Amino acid sequence: MGLKCAKLRRCCCLSCPSCLCSRCAETPQAAATGQFKVLLLGATGSGKTELGLQLSGKQRDPDDRGPTNGVRCYRSEGGVGDRDRDGTGEKVATLLLTEVGGSADMQRIWPYYYAACHALVFCFDLSESGDELRTNFDLLQRCLQHESVRGKPVLLVATRHRDGVQLYDVEHAFGLEQLARSTGCPLHLCHMSDGDLWQGVAWLQRLLLQLAPKLAQRIKYDVNLQSWQQRKRSLLSSGKLQRVHRQRFRRGHRRLWPMAQATHEVTRSQSHSQSPSRPQTAPPAIFFVRPAKS
């Protein structure tokens, strides 16, 4: 897998087998348009809400200017009528975007959304300082290294401008090419400007349509595994799983006597046939140890 930068004219997908660049191969047209769940993530103040509203074609409420402390949902058709944004005339996929807050507390619940998503859109503020950008891309690296995100398409969106800084500078400064190769995630880097953004969205839609069967099987497996892991943790915390194992594999304790004690017990049972330890209706002496003849 490799990185595709919207600012570069040449293909930089690094011989990716799923490369959708027109210079490499023609994209197979999907049989039908599908809906895909896309997770919209980023640090607090990175512009996630602004991006979600722009993709869904809505305006933000003037009274709603605070950071997202929860979840917001958007729907992006990505086209006008039967034509997509880049004018190719092909049917496009519908993106069901789920924005999750980027605070430290909200970042703890991000992994619970990874299994059910088809792709990831990660926002970062290009106008921030170098240390803040490093923190954001460290957060991106932890997301892509998660077992439920590896191999899924990722769209990186720079939400603001910074004088003298280009997207290819970000690519080389933070090792995005190596990150794409190590995690197996196809990456596309673009800016939030209208034309650049919709080219990135079109790339994501075509890739999702091409990988739809594989992603469906992957999500089914990941969701089932996540459900089992949560159930297992619940059983372990309540102690039910341990009790089930003890009942299932319980084995009766056997009392082993030395030979001398066994001989004494047999002799005593023969002399006291009416022993209270043995019922009168029981068959006489089914199991006993005969003393060795001298």
Side-chain angles (χ1 to χ4, degrees):
M1 299 299 175
L3 171 69
K4 189 174 186 297
C5 182
K7 292 298 183 181
L8 300 180
R9 297 300 180 185
R10 60 182 177 84
C11 176
C12 55
C13 296
L14 304 175
S15 302
C16 171
S18 59
C19 174
L20 299 178
C21 178
S22 59
R23 295 175 179 267
C24 297
E26 295 294 330
T27 304
Q29 187 173 1
T33 301
Q35 295 183 351
F36 300 92
K37 297 180 181 179
V38 180
L39 199 56
L40 181 56
L41 300 179
T44 301
S46 59
K48 300 185 298 297
T49 303
E50 183 180 356
L51 176 61
L53 292 173
Q54 183 172 345
L55 293 177
S56 60
K58 298 181 181 180
Q59 297 294 329
R60 189 166 188 175
D61 190 351
D63 298 332
D64 183 17
R65 293 298 179 182
T68 301
N69 188 18
V71 176
R72 299 174 187 257
C73 297
Y74 311 95
R75 183 185 181 92
S76 176
E77 299 292 345
V80 180
D82 292 335
R83 299 182 62 86
D84 58 1
R85 291 280 180 168
D86 57 6
T88 60
E90 298 177 354
K91 293 284 187 177
V92 293
T94 300
L95 305 181
L96 305 179
L97 299 165
T98 301
E99 175 196 353
V100 186
S103 63
D105 293 334
M106 295 299 298
Q107 290 176 15
R108 297 192 185 102
I109 68 173
W110 283 6
Y112 294 99
Y113 292 87
Y114 292 159
C117 72
H118 293 83
L120 176 67
V121 175
F122 192 88
C123 301
F124 64 96
D125 187 357
L126 191 59
S127 63
E128 292 182 335
S129 63
D131 294 338
E132 292 174 334
L133 286 175
R134 170 60 64 185
T135 302
N136 291 333
F137 283 102
D138 289 342
L139 179 60
L140 172 64
Q141 182 177 1
R142 291 196 297 270
C143 292
L144 300 190
Q145 288 177 346
H146 194 277
E147 57 183 4
S148 298
V149 182
R150 283 181 172 270
K152 293 183 179 180
V154 180
L155 179 63
L156 301 180
V157 182
T159 55
R160 294 176 179 87
H161 289 279
R162 184 177 181 180
D163 295 338
V165 179
Q166 302 296 329
L167 292 183
Y168 55 81
D169 297 328
V170 176
E171 171 192 349
H172 293 289
F174 299 102
L176 299 183
E177 181 177 326
Q178 291 78 8
L179 180 60
R181 290 180 179 274
S182 62
T183 59
C185 295
L187 297 183
H188 183 97
L189 181 60
C190 67
H191 201 275
M192 197 169 154
S193 59
D194 189 61
D196 197 10
L197 174 62
W198 286 110
Q199 289 180 4
V201 172
W203 170 87
L204 181 61
Q205 289 172 330
R206 292 194 298 267
L207 187 56
L208 287 174
L209 289 172
Q210 182 183 11
L211 301 178
K214 295 181 180 179
L215 288 175
Q217 296 178 359
R218 166 80 180 277
I219 289 176
K220 183 178 180 180
Y221 172 81
D222 289 342
V223 169
N224 290 338
L225 180 61
Q226 185 182 46
S227 177
W228 158 242
Q229 290 175 347
Q230 293 176 356
R231 177 62 176 167
K232 182 179 179 181
R233 285 193 297 266
S234 176
L235 291 174
L236 288 174
S237 62
S238 61
K240 294 181 179 179
L241 190 61
Q242 296 178 359
R243 287 198 296 269
V244 169
H245 280 287
R246 285 201 300 267
Q247 293 175 2
R248 182 176 180 182
F249 300 105
R250 179 180 297 177
R251 177 179 294 180
H253 296 285
R254 299 177 181 178
R255 186 176 179 182
L256 300 179
W257 293 326
M259 190 63 185
Q261 186 178 359
T263 305
H264 175 70
E265 291 291 337
V266 172
T267 305
R268 189 178 62 176
S269 63
Q270 291 177 354
S271 60
H272 303 282
S273 59
Q274 300 297 330
S275 175
S277 63
R278 185 175 180 82
Q280 298 179 0
T281 58
I286 296 181
F287 300 104
F288 62 91
V289 178
R290 297 181 180 276
K293 295 182 178 180
S294 56

